[in-house]
Each structure stands twice: as structure tokens, then as C-alpha cells.
Amino acid sequence: MKRFSFKYPYITSALVSGLLLASPVANAQEIIPLYTAAVPNSKASDVQESAERGMFRGVTKPTLEYFKPAADKASGAAVIIIPGGGYSVVVYNGEGVGTAKALAEKGIAAFVLKYRLPSDAIMADKKIGPLQDAQQAIKLVRENAAKWGLDPGKIGIMGFSAGGHLASTAATHFEKAYVDNASNTSLRPDFQILVYPVISMRDSLTHGGSHDALLGKNPSRADIDLFSNELQVRANTPPTYLTHAADDKLVDVDNSIAYFETLRRQKVPVEMHVYPKGDHGFIFRHPGWMEPLFAWMKANNWLTAN
């Protein structure tokens, strides 16, 4: 069985330059609290949120940071970006802010999600805490689409590594609301973009650190299956873009391949780009990695050609 268990996958010399771009709240156009009332599924604790080296730890006040495209470029599309970090940190700058700026430059409204990391210290049920924040982000952006000049039918979600697991969870678990949704706003992303994602919680595929952080070391078979998103694909799962490196030693490319195969069998539109080399975090080593993504978005009419 393959099981990958690095504790802090992003703190490597190859990636450090991408993570040290700025302080985590630099260049904010607007930082929006995710919840206006009490944060759901939370409990009193002495955990203190901290920011260091472009990453967040101990998040207790989830937010969206809005990067607005120039008016003459705005396409009406929006993407909620979920950085990775093994469900132990949020790699906010390198995967969040940098990606948001690139999307905004192409006319896509970008929202970087600072989400709660699963923790028994701050949550009654740590398994669903991150999913609640992802669902709330989709709900918030969709309900404010008119205010921000967005098309409510062009709201996608994008995740990196463990953030890819969270994004794919939001894209496969949207029929059950884990947050208050009295207005019955659709929680289904219109498309999902997954970058070297953790997809599965099964021992043969999963990244051990993400698995243990989210589910604990000895989860039930029911929880493993529920959060193994290759098992949760249905015909109404959103169209999908996957990209991974074949030599990824941290999150096996078989995560993306298994998801691709399940999506294909369910006849969900899916496109996958696999680099032969690049390892985990390849976005910092392949500066043109977003060009095929933009072509996919244009082909699907989420992004108008400039």
C-alpha cells in the first residue's frame, strides 16, 4: 500500500521563494469575513491564528480575499481559490495570492479562501469544518454576484494539494448543506480546477498527513469512503480540469488519474494535463502552467477570449 505522510509538505528549499512573496494579507483589495454571525461548528478555545512565511496556521476567522479584475477585462467569471498545506497550514501566498493575481489579469474575479484547518481544539466535528467554509464561500460569492458584477452561473472552485481535496469535496458533496442555507442557494460549483490534488482518503492513494489531520489516525470505513471523492462522483459533478506531475512524490498522480477515470465513466466533462516532471508544487517550476487552463476556460465559455 502507498501512503504518503510528510508533515509539512511545502516547507522546502525549492518552494520557499514562492512562499515568501509578501505577508499573507498584503495587496488585499477587499478582505471579507466568511460569516457575519457565529462561526458554525466552532467551540471556545485558546488557539491563536498566526501568519508566517506566507502561510496561516490555527485559522479561527475564515475570510475571502477578493481580487477584482480591471473593468475592461472582466469576464463575469469567478474562481474561489483554496490553497493547500496538508490540512495543517494554508499556503496562502504561493498558491493563493499569486494565482489570484494571474486570474484577475485574465478577467476572472478571484477569491482566496483562508479556511479553518481541521482541529478538535476549535471544532465540534473537525471532519466537516473545512467543507463548511468552502460551501459558505460558494454561497457568499453566488449571493453577491450582482453586487460584484459576476455571472452566478460562472462560479468555480480551484484547489491545490489538500486544498484540491477540499475543492473536490465541495464539488461532490454539494447536495447536502453543511452551513445555514435558508435561501436554498446552490452550493454546486459550476466548474472545478484541481492542481496536484489529494482526492482519496484510502490508504492506497492518500497523503498520510492530510488523511490524519482531517479524519484522525483510525477513522471509520464510512468516513474514509465519504471523503474519498473518487467514490462520490455523480453525473451532476461539475466539469473538471486536472493537472499533476507524473513524478509527484508527495501526492501520487494516481489521485488525479482515479478521479479522471471516475468522471469519464460518469460522462462528466473532464480534461487532464500531466507533466512528466515537476514533482509536488510544480507551479513554481512551470511558469506557463496556467495557459492550458485558460484555453480550457475559454473553450467552455467561462472565459471570453480577449
Short mmCIF file of all heavy atoms in Angstrom, two decimals, residues 190-254:
data_model
loop_
_atom_site.label_atom_id
_atom_site.label_comp_id
_atom_site.label_asym_id
_atom_site.label_seq_id
_atom_site.Cartn_x
_atom_site.Cartn_y
_atom_site.Cartn_z
N ASP A 190 -19.76 25.70 -10.47
CA ASP A 190 -20.05 25.48 -11.88
C ASP A 190 -18.92 24.73 -12.59
O ASP A 190 -19.14 24.11 -13.63
CB ASP A 190 -20.32 26.82 -12.57
CG ASP A 190 -21.60 27.46 -12.05
OD1 ASP A 190 -22.67 26.85 -12.20
OD2 ASP A 190 -21.51 28.55 -11.45
N PHE A 191 -17.73 24.78 -12.02
CA PHE A 191 -16.60 24.01 -12.53
C PHE A 191 -15.58 23.87 -11.42
O PHE A 191 -15.61 24.62 -10.43
CB PHE A 191 -15.97 24.66 -13.78
CG PHE A 191 -15.56 26.11 -13.60
CD1 PHE A 191 -14.29 26.45 -13.16
CD2 PHE A 191 -16.46 27.13 -13.87
CE1 PHE A 191 -13.91 27.78 -13.00
CE2 PHE A 191 -16.10 28.47 -13.71
CZ PHE A 191 -14.82 28.79 -13.28
N GLN A 192 -14.70 22.87 -11.55
CA GLN A 192 -13.66 22.67 -10.55
C GLN A 192 -12.31 22.53 -11.24
O GLN A 192 -12.19 21.90 -12.29
CB GLN A 192 -13.95 21.45 -9.68
CG GLN A 192 -14.15 20.15 -10.43
CD GLN A 192 -14.34 18.94 -9.51
OE1 GLN A 192 -13.77 18.86 -8.42
NE2 GLN A 192 -15.16 17.99 -9.96
N ILE A 193 -11.30 23.15 -10.63
CA ILE A 193 -9.92 23.14 -11.14
C ILE A 193 -9.06 22.57 -10.02
O ILE A 193 -8.99 23.14 -8.92
CB ILE A 193 -9.45 24.56 -11.50
CG1 ILE A 193 -10.35 25.18 -12.58
CG2 ILE A 193 -7.99 24.54 -11.95
CD1 ILE A 193 -10.22 26.69 -12.68
N LEU A 194 -8.42 21.44 -10.27
CA LEU A 194 -7.69 20.73 -9.22
C LEU A 194 -6.23 20.58 -9.63
O LEU A 194 -5.92 20.00 -10.68
CB LEU A 194 -8.33 19.36 -8.97
CG LEU A 194 -9.84 19.38 -8.67
CD1 LEU A 194 -10.36 17.97 -8.48
CD2 LEU A 194 -10.16 20.24 -7.45
N VAL A 195 -5.35 21.08 -8.78
CA VAL A 195 -3.92 21.14 -9.08
C VAL A 195 -3.17 20.26 -8.09
O VAL A 195 -3.22 20.49 -6.88
CB VAL A 195 -3.42 22.60 -9.02
CG1 VAL A 195 -1.97 22.69 -9.48
CG2 VAL A 195 -4.31 23.52 -9.86
N TYR A 196 -2.49 19.24 -8.59
CA TYR A 196 -1.85 18.17 -7.81
C TYR A 196 -2.69 17.83 -6.58
O TYR A 196 -2.21 17.83 -5.43
CB TYR A 196 -0.39 18.46 -7.44
CG TYR A 196 -0.01 19.89 -7.06
CD1 TYR A 196 -0.16 20.36 -5.76
CD2 TYR A 196 0.55 20.75 -8.02
CE1 TYR A 196 0.21 21.63 -5.41
CE2 TYR A 196 0.92 22.04 -7.68
CZ TYR A 196 0.75 22.48 -6.37
OH TYR A 196 1.12 23.76 -6.02
N PRO A 197 -3.96 17.46 -6.78
CA PRO A 197 -4.86 17.31 -5.65
C PRO A 197 -4.73 15.99 -4.91
O PRO A 197 -4.46 14.94 -5.49
CB PRO A 197 -6.24 17.37 -6.32
CG PRO A 197 -6.00 16.74 -7.67
CD PRO A 197 -4.63 17.23 -8.08
N VAL A 198 -4.94 16.05 -3.60
CA VAL A 198 -5.31 14.87 -2.84
C VAL A 198 -6.79 14.63 -3.15
O VAL A 198 -7.61 15.53 -3.00
CB VAL A 198 -5.13 15.08 -1.33
CG1 VAL A 198 -5.57 13.85 -0.56
CG2 VAL A 198 -3.69 15.46 -0.99
N ILE A 199 -7.13 13.45 -3.63
CA ILE A 199 -8.53 13.12 -3.94
C ILE A 199 -9.06 12.09 -2.96
O ILE A 199 -10.18 12.20 -2.47
CB ILE A 199 -8.65 12.56 -5.38
CG1 ILE A 199 -8.30 13.64 -6.41
CG2 ILE A 199 -10.05 11.99 -5.63
CD1 ILE A 199 -9.30 14.79 -6.47
N SER A 200 -8.25 11.10 -2.66
CA SER A 200 -8.71 9.94 -1.90
C SER A 200 -8.23 9.97 -0.46
O SER A 200 -7.18 10.51 -0.13
CB SER A 200 -8.20 8.66 -2.57
OG SER A 200 -8.74 7.52 -1.95
N MET A 201 -9.01 9.35 0.41
CA MET A 201 -8.60 9.09 1.80
C MET A 201 -8.26 7.62 2.00
O MET A 201 -7.96 7.19 3.11
CB MET A 201 -9.70 9.51 2.76
CG MET A 201 -9.87 11.01 2.90
SD MET A 201 -8.51 11.83 3.78
CE MET A 201 -7.89 12.96 2.53
N ARG A 202 -8.29 6.83 0.91
CA ARG A 202 -7.96 5.41 1.02
C ARG A 202 -6.44 5.22 1.11
O ARG A 202 -5.68 5.94 0.48
CB ARG A 202 -8.52 4.65 -0.19
CG ARG A 202 -10.04 4.62 -0.23
CD ARG A 202 -10.56 3.77 -1.37
NE ARG A 202 -10.25 4.35 -2.67
CZ ARG A 202 -10.47 3.74 -3.83
NH1 ARG A 202 -10.96 2.51 -3.83
NH2 ARG A 202 -10.18 4.34 -4.95
N ASP A 203 -6.02 4.22 1.90
CA ASP A 203 -4.61 4.02 2.16
C ASP A 203 -3.78 3.84 0.89
O ASP A 203 -2.61 4.22 0.85
CB ASP A 203 -4.40 2.79 3.05
CG ASP A 203 -4.64 3.10 4.52
OD1 ASP A 203 -4.76 4.29 4.86
OD2 ASP A 203 -4.70 2.15 5.32
N SER A 204 -4.36 3.27 -0.13
CA SER A 204 -3.60 3.01 -1.35
C SER A 204 -3.25 4.28 -2.11
O SER A 204 -2.36 4.28 -2.94
CB SER A 204 -4.40 2.08 -2.27
OG SER A 204 -5.65 2.65 -2.60
N LEU A 205 -3.94 5.38 -1.84
CA LEU A 205 -3.73 6.62 -2.59
C LEU A 205 -3.40 7.82 -1.73
O LEU A 205 -2.69 8.72 -2.17
CB LEU A 205 -4.99 6.95 -3.41
CG LEU A 205 -5.28 6.14 -4.66
CD1 LEU A 205 -6.60 6.59 -5.29
CD2 LEU A 205 -4.15 6.30 -5.67
N THR A 206 -3.92 7.89 -0.53
CA THR A 206 -3.97 9.15 0.19
C THR A 206 -2.61 9.70 0.58
O THR A 206 -1.60 8.98 0.61
CB THR A 206 -4.85 9.00 1.46
OG1 THR A 206 -5.19 10.29 1.95
CG2 THR A 206 -4.12 8.21 2.54
N HIS A 207 -2.59 10.99 0.88
CA HIS A 207 -1.44 11.63 1.51
C HIS A 207 -1.66 11.51 3.02
O HIS A 207 -2.66 12.00 3.56
CB HIS A 207 -1.35 13.09 1.09
CG HIS A 207 -0.39 13.90 1.91
ND1 HIS A 207 -0.80 14.89 2.78
CD2 HIS A 207 0.96 13.84 2.01
CE1 HIS A 207 0.25 15.41 3.37
NE2 HIS A 207 1.33 14.79 2.93
N GLY A 208 -0.77 10.84 3.71
CA GLY A 208 -0.99 10.49 5.11
C GLY A 208 -1.23 11.68 6.02
O GLY A 208 -2.07 11.62 6.92
N GLY A 209 -0.48 12.76 5.82
CA GLY A 209 -0.66 13.93 6.68
C GLY A 209 -2.04 14.53 6.54
O GLY A 209 -2.68 14.89 7.53
N SER A 210 -2.53 14.64 5.30
CA SER A 210 -3.87 15.19 5.07
C SER A 210 -4.93 14.27 5.65
O SER A 210 -5.90 14.72 6.27
CB SER A 210 -4.11 15.37 3.57
OG SER A 210 -3.16 16.26 3.00
N HIS A 211 -4.75 12.97 5.43
CA HIS A 211 -5.68 11.96 5.94
C HIS A 211 -5.81 12.07 7.46
O HIS A 211 -6.91 12.15 8.02
CB HIS A 211 -5.18 10.58 5.53
CG HIS A 211 -5.87 9.41 6.17
ND1 HIS A 211 -5.60 9.02 7.48
CD2 HIS A 211 -6.79 8.54 5.70
CE1 HIS A 211 -6.33 7.97 7.78
NE2 HIS A 211 -7.07 7.65 6.71
N ASP A 212 -4.66 12.08 8.15
CA ASP A 212 -4.69 12.07 9.60
C ASP A 212 -5.22 13.38 10.17
O ASP A 212 -5.93 13.39 11.18
CB ASP A 212 -3.30 11.78 10.16
CG ASP A 212 -2.83 10.36 9.85
OD1 ASP A 212 -3.64 9.55 9.33
OD2 ASP A 212 -1.64 10.07 10.11
N ALA A 213 -4.86 14.50 9.52
CA ALA A 213 -5.33 15.80 10.00
C ALA A 213 -6.84 15.91 9.89
O ALA A 213 -7.51 16.43 10.79
CB ALA A 213 -4.65 16.92 9.23
N LEU A 214 -7.41 15.40 8.79
CA LEU A 214 -8.85 15.55 8.55
C LEU A 214 -9.67 14.51 9.30
O LEU A 214 -10.68 14.83 9.93
CB LEU A 214 -9.14 15.47 7.06
CG LEU A 214 -10.61 15.70 6.66
CD1 LEU A 214 -11.02 17.15 6.93
CD2 LEU A 214 -10.83 15.35 5.19
N LEU A 215 -9.24 13.25 9.23
CA LEU A 215 -10.07 12.15 9.73
C LEU A 215 -9.55 11.52 11.02
O LEU A 215 -10.26 10.75 11.66
CB LEU A 215 -10.17 11.05 8.66
CG LEU A 215 -10.76 11.46 7.31
CD1 LEU A 215 -10.85 10.25 6.40
CD2 LEU A 215 -12.12 12.13 7.47
N GLY A 216 -8.31 11.82 11.39
CA GLY A 216 -7.69 11.14 12.52
C GLY A 216 -6.97 9.89 12.07
O GLY A 216 -7.08 9.47 10.92
N LYS A 217 -6.23 9.27 12.97
CA LYS A 217 -5.39 8.13 12.58
C LYS A 217 -6.18 6.84 12.40
O LYS A 217 -5.72 5.93 11.71
CB LYS A 217 -4.28 7.94 13.62
CG LYS A 217 -3.25 9.06 13.62
CD LYS A 217 -2.10 8.75 14.55
CE LYS A 217 -1.05 9.85 14.53
NZ LYS A 217 -0.42 10.00 13.20
N ASN A 218 -7.34 6.73 13.01
CA ASN A 218 -8.11 5.49 12.91
C ASN A 218 -9.58 5.79 12.58
O ASN A 218 -10.48 5.49 13.37
CB ASN A 218 -8.02 4.72 14.24
CG ASN A 218 -6.60 4.28 14.55
OD1 ASN A 218 -6.04 3.46 13.83
ND2 ASN A 218 -6.04 4.85 15.61
N PRO A 219 -9.82 6.34 11.40
CA PRO A 219 -11.20 6.69 11.04
C PRO A 219 -12.01 5.45 10.68
O PRO A 219 -11.47 4.38 10.38
CB PRO A 219 -11.02 7.59 9.81
CG PRO A 219 -9.75 7.11 9.19
CD PRO A 219 -8.86 6.72 10.35
N SER A 220 -13.31 5.61 10.69
CA SER A 220 -14.20 4.53 10.28
C SER A 220 -14.13 4.35 8.77
O SER A 220 -13.77 5.27 8.02
CB SER A 220 -15.64 4.85 10.69
OG SER A 220 -16.14 5.95 9.93
N ARG A 221 -14.49 3.18 8.31
CA ARG A 221 -14.56 2.92 6.88
C ARG A 221 -15.57 3.86 6.22
O ARG A 221 -15.35 4.36 5.11
CB ARG A 221 -14.94 1.47 6.62
CG ARG A 221 -15.23 1.12 5.16
CD ARG A 221 -14.12 1.55 4.20
NE ARG A 221 -12.83 0.96 4.53
CZ ARG A 221 -11.71 1.23 3.88
NH1 ARG A 221 -11.72 2.09 2.86
NH2 ARG A 221 -10.58 0.66 4.25
N ALA A 222 -16.66 4.17 6.92
CA ALA A 222 -17.67 5.07 6.35
C ALA A 222 -17.10 6.46 6.12
O ALA A 222 -17.35 7.07 5.06
CB ALA A 222 -18.88 5.16 7.28
N ASP A 223 -16.29 6.97 7.05
CA ASP A 223 -15.69 8.29 6.87
C ASP A 223 -14.63 8.27 5.77
O ASP A 223 -14.51 9.23 4.98
CB ASP A 223 -15.08 8.79 8.18
CG ASP A 223 -16.11 9.32 9.15
OD1 ASP A 223 -17.25 9.61 8.71
OD2 ASP A 223 -15.79 9.44 10.35
N ILE A 224 -13.84 7.21 5.70
CA ILE A 224 -12.85 7.09 4.63
C ILE A 224 -13.53 7.14 3.28
O ILE A 224 -13.12 7.88 2.38
CB ILE A 224 -12.03 5.79 4.79
CG1 ILE A 224 -11.13 5.87 6.03
CG2 ILE A 224 -11.21 5.52 3.53
CD1 ILE A 224 -10.47 4.55 6.37
N ASP A 225 -14.60 6.38 3.12
CA ASP A 225 -15.31 6.34 1.83
C ASP A 225 -15.99 7.67 1.53
O ASP A 225 -15.99 8.15 0.39
CB ASP A 225 -16.33 5.21 1.82
CG ASP A 225 -15.69 3.84 1.77
OD1 ASP A 225 -14.45 3.76 1.56
OD2 ASP A 225 -16.41 2.84 1.95
N LEU A 226 -16.58 8.30 2.56
CA LEU A 226 -17.30 9.55 2.35
C LEU A 226 -16.37 10.64 1.83
O LEU A 226 -16.75 11.44 0.97
CB LEU A 226 -17.96 10.00 3.65
CG LEU A 226 -18.77 11.30 3.58
CD1 LEU A 226 -19.96 11.14 2.63
CD2 LEU A 226 -19.23 11.71 4.97
N PHE A 227 -15.14 10.67 2.34
CA PHE A 227 -14.20 11.72 1.95
C PHE A 227 -13.18 11.25 0.90
O PHE A 227 -12.22 11.95 0.62
CB PHE A 227 -13.50 12.28 3.18
CG PHE A 227 -14.43 13.11 4.04
CD1 PHE A 227 -15.07 12.55 5.13
CD2 PHE A 227 -14.68 14.44 3.73
CE1 PHE A 227 -15.94 13.31 5.91
CE2 PHE A 227 -15.54 15.21 4.50
CZ PHE A 227 -16.18 14.64 5.60
N SER A 228 -13.40 10.08 0.33
CA SER A 228 -12.65 9.64 -0.85
C SER A 228 -13.46 10.07 -2.06
O SER A 228 -14.43 9.40 -2.45
CB SER A 228 -12.44 8.12 -0.83
OG SER A 228 -11.54 7.75 0.20
N ASN A 229 -13.10 11.18 -2.63
CA ASN A 229 -14.00 11.85 -3.57
C ASN A 229 -14.11 11.15 -4.92
O ASN A 229 -15.07 11.38 -5.66
CB ASN A 229 -13.60 13.31 -3.72
CG ASN A 229 -13.81 14.06 -2.42
OD1 ASN A 229 -14.74 13.79 -1.68
ND2 ASN A 229 -12.91 14.99 -2.12
N GLU A 230 -13.21 10.24 -5.20
CA GLU A 230 -13.36 9.42 -6.41
C GLU A 230 -14.56 8.48 -6.27
O GLU A 230 -15.09 7.99 -7.29
CB GLU A 230 -12.08 8.64 -6.71
CG GLU A 230 -11.81 7.41 -5.87
CD GLU A 230 -11.21 7.71 -4.49
OE1 GLU A 230 -11.23 8.89 -4.06
OE2 GLU A 230 -10.71 6.75 -3.86
N LEU A 231 -15.00 8.24 -5.04
CA LEU A 231 -16.17 7.40 -4.79
C LEU A 231 -17.47 8.20 -4.76
O LEU A 231 -18.55 7.61 -4.69
CB LEU A 231 -16.02 6.65 -3.47
CG LEU A 231 -14.77 5.79 -3.29
CD1 LEU A 231 -14.76 5.14 -1.91
CD2 LEU A 231 -14.67 4.75 -4.39
N GLN A 232 -17.37 9.52 -4.81
CA GLN A 232 -18.53 10.39 -4.64
C GLN A 232 -18.97 11.07 -5.93
O GLN A 232 -19.91 11.87 -5.92
CB GLN A 232 -18.23 11.46 -3.58
CG GLN A 232 -17.79 10.89 -2.24
CD GLN A 232 -18.81 9.94 -1.64
OE1 GLN A 232 -20.02 10.15 -1.77
NE2 GLN A 232 -18.34 8.89 -0.99
N VAL A 233 -18.33 10.76 -7.03
CA VAL A 233 -18.67 11.40 -8.31
C VAL A 233 -20.03 10.91 -8.78
O VAL A 233 -20.35 9.71 -8.73
CB VAL A 233 -17.60 11.08 -9.37
CG1 VAL A 233 -18.03 11.57 -10.76
CG2 VAL A 233 -16.27 11.72 -8.96
N ARG A 234 -20.84 11.84 -9.27
CA ARG A 234 -22.14 11.54 -9.86
C ARG A 234 -22.23 12.26 -11.21
O ARG A 234 -21.38 13.07 -11.55
CB ARG A 234 -23.28 12.00 -8.94
CG ARG A 234 -23.23 11.43 -7.53
CD ARG A 234 -23.47 9.92 -7.50
NE ARG A 234 -23.48 9.40 -6.13
CZ ARG A 234 -22.42 8.87 -5.52
NH1 ARG A 234 -21.25 8.79 -6.17
NH2 ARG A 234 -22.52 8.42 -4.28
N ALA A 235 -23.28 12.00 -11.94
CA ALA A 235 -23.43 12.60 -13.26
C ALA A 235 -23.52 14.12 -13.20
O ALA A 235 -23.20 14.81 -14.18
CB ALA A 235 -24.66 12.03 -13.97
N ASN A 236 -23.94 14.66 -12.05
CA ASN A 236 -24.07 16.12 -11.92
C ASN A 236 -22.85 16.78 -11.29
O ASN A 236 -22.88 17.96 -10.92
CB ASN A 236 -25.33 16.49 -11.14
CG ASN A 236 -25.32 15.95 -9.71
OD1 ASN A 236 -24.46 15.15 -9.35
ND2 ASN A 236 -26.30 16.38 -8.92
N THR A 237 -21.75 16.02 -11.12
CA THR A 237 -20.50 16.61 -10.65
C THR A 237 -20.03 17.65 -11.66
O THR A 237 -20.14 17.44 -12.88
CB THR A 237 -19.43 15.52 -10.46
OG1 THR A 237 -19.89 14.59 -9.48
CG2 THR A 237 -18.10 16.10 -10.02
N PRO A 238 -19.53 18.80 -11.23
CA PRO A 238 -19.16 19.86 -12.17
C PRO A 238 -18.04 19.46 -13.12
O PRO A 238 -17.18 18.63 -12.78
CB PRO A 238 -18.69 21.00 -11.25
CG PRO A 238 -19.28 20.70 -9.92
CD PRO A 238 -19.38 19.22 -9.82
N PRO A 239 -18.03 20.05 -14.34
CA PRO A 239 -16.91 19.85 -15.26
C PRO A 239 -15.58 20.14 -14.56
O PRO A 239 -15.51 21.02 -13.70
CB PRO A 239 -17.19 20.86 -16.37
CG PRO A 239 -18.68 21.05 -16.33
CD PRO A 239 -19.05 20.94 -14.87
N THR A 240 -14.55 19.41 -14.98
CA THR A 240 -13.33 19.36 -14.18
C THR A 240 -12.08 19.54 -15.04
O THR A 240 -11.97 18.98 -16.13
CB THR A 240 -13.24 17.99 -13.46
OG1 THR A 240 -14.43 17.79 -12.68
CG2 THR A 240 -12.02 17.93 -12.56
N TYR A 241 -11.13 20.31 -14.49
CA TYR A 241 -9.79 20.43 -15.05
C TYR A 241 -8.81 19.91 -14.00
O TYR A 241 -8.82 20.37 -12.85
CB TYR A 241 -9.49 21.89 -15.38
CG TYR A 241 -8.12 22.13 -15.99
CD1 TYR A 241 -7.95 22.17 -17.37
CD2 TYR A 241 -7.00 22.33 -15.18
CE1 TYR A 241 -6.69 22.40 -17.93
CE2 TYR A 241 -5.75 22.56 -15.73
CZ TYR A 241 -5.60 22.59 -17.10
OH TYR A 241 -4.36 22.81 -17.65
N LEU A 242 -7.98 18.95 -14.40
CA LEU A 242 -6.99 18.35 -13.51
C LEU A 242 -5.59 18.58 -14.06
O LEU A 242 -5.37 18.48 -15.28
CB LEU A 242 -7.21 16.84 -13.41
CG LEU A 242 -8.44 16.33 -12.67
CD1 LEU A 242 -8.83 14.94 -13.18
CD2 LEU A 242 -8.18 16.30 -11.17
N THR A 243 -4.64 18.86 -13.18
CA THR A 243 -3.25 18.90 -13.62
C THR A 243 -2.35 18.40 -12.48
O THR A 243 -2.62 18.65 -11.30
CB THR A 243 -2.84 20.31 -14.10
OG1 THR A 243 -1.51 20.25 -14.64
CG2 THR A 243 -2.89 21.34 -12.98
N HIS A 244 -1.31 17.67 -12.86
CA HIS A 244 -0.48 16.96 -11.89
C HIS A 244 0.87 16.70 -12.56
O HIS A 244 1.00 16.80 -13.77
CB HIS A 244 -1.15 15.62 -11.54
CG HIS A 244 -1.03 15.24 -10.10
ND1 HIS A 244 -2.13 14.99 -9.30
CD2 HIS A 244 0.06 15.02 -9.30
CE1 HIS A 244 -1.73 14.63 -8.09
NE2 HIS A 244 -0.41 14.63 -8.07
N ALA A 245 1.87 16.35 -11.78
CA ALA A 245 3.15 15.89 -12.32
C ALA A 245 3.26 14.39 -12.09
O ALA A 245 2.94 13.89 -11.00
CB ALA A 245 4.32 16.61 -11.66
N ALA A 246 3.72 13.68 -13.11
CA ALA A 246 3.81 12.22 -13.01
C ALA A 246 4.81 11.77 -11.96
O ALA A 246 4.67 10.68 -11.41
CB ALA A 246 4.17 11.64 -14.38
N ASP A 247 5.80 12.62 -11.68
CA ASP A 247 6.82 12.22 -10.70
C ASP A 247 6.55 12.80 -9.31
O ASP A 247 7.46 12.88 -8.48
CB ASP A 247 8.21 12.64 -11.19
CG ASP A 247 8.39 14.15 -11.26
OD1 ASP A 247 7.37 14.89 -11.19
OD2 ASP A 247 9.55 14.61 -11.37
N ASP A 248 5.31 13.18 -9.03
CA ASP A 248 4.96 13.74 -7.73
C ASP A 248 5.20 12.69 -6.65
O ASP A 248 4.56 11.64 -6.63
CB ASP A 248 3.48 14.17 -7.74
CG ASP A 248 3.10 15.05 -6.55
OD1 ASP A 248 3.61 14.80 -5.44
OD2 ASP A 248 2.31 15.99 -6.75
N LYS A 249 6.13 12.98 -5.76
CA LYS A 249 6.49 12.02 -4.71
C LYS A 249 5.70 12.25 -3.43
O LYS A 249 5.84 11.48 -2.47
CB LYS A 249 8.00 12.10 -4.44
CG LYS A 249 8.86 11.60 -5.60
CD LYS A 249 10.33 11.62 -5.28
CE LYS A 249 10.92 13.02 -5.30
NZ LYS A 249 10.90 13.64 -6.65
N LEU A 250 4.90 13.28 -3.37
CA LEU A 250 4.14 13.59 -2.16
C LEU A 250 2.68 13.18 -2.29
O LEU A 250 2.13 12.50 -1.43
CB LEU A 250 4.24 15.08 -1.84
CG LEU A 250 3.70 15.50 -0.48
CD1 LEU A 250 4.51 14.88 0.64
CD2 LEU A 250 3.68 17.01 -0.37
N VAL A 251 2.03 13.60 -3.37
CA VAL A 251 0.65 13.22 -3.67
C VAL A 251 0.67 12.48 -5.00
O VAL A 251 0.88 13.08 -6.06
CB VAL A 251 -0.28 14.44 -3.74
CG1 VAL A 251 -1.69 14.02 -4.13
CG2 VAL A 251 -0.29 15.18 -2.40
N ASP A 252 0.50 11.18 -4.95
CA ASP A 252 0.65 10.34 -6.14
C ASP A 252 -0.31 10.79 -7.24
O ASP A 252 -1.48 11.08 -6.99
CB ASP A 252 0.37 8.88 -5.77
CG ASP A 252 0.88 7.92 -6.81
OD1 ASP A 252 0.33 7.92 -7.92
OD2 ASP A 252 1.82 7.16 -6.51
N VAL A 253 0.20 10.85 -8.47
CA VAL A 253 -0.61 11.25 -9.62
C VAL A 253 -1.81 10.32 -9.80
O VAL A 253 -2.81 10.70 -10.43
CB VAL A 253 0.25 11.29 -10.90
CG1 VAL A 253 0.68 9.88 -11.32
CG2 VAL A 253 -0.48 11.99 -12.04
N ASP A 254 -1.77 9.13 -9.22
CA ASP A 254 -2.93 8.23 -9.31
C ASP A 254 -4.18 8.82 -8.67
O ASP A 254 -5.29 8.40 -8.98
CB ASP A 254 -2.60 6.88 -8.67
CG ASP A 254 -1.74 6.00 -9.56
OD1 ASP A 254 -1.57 6.35 -10.75
OD2 ASP A 254 -1.22 4.98 -9.07
#
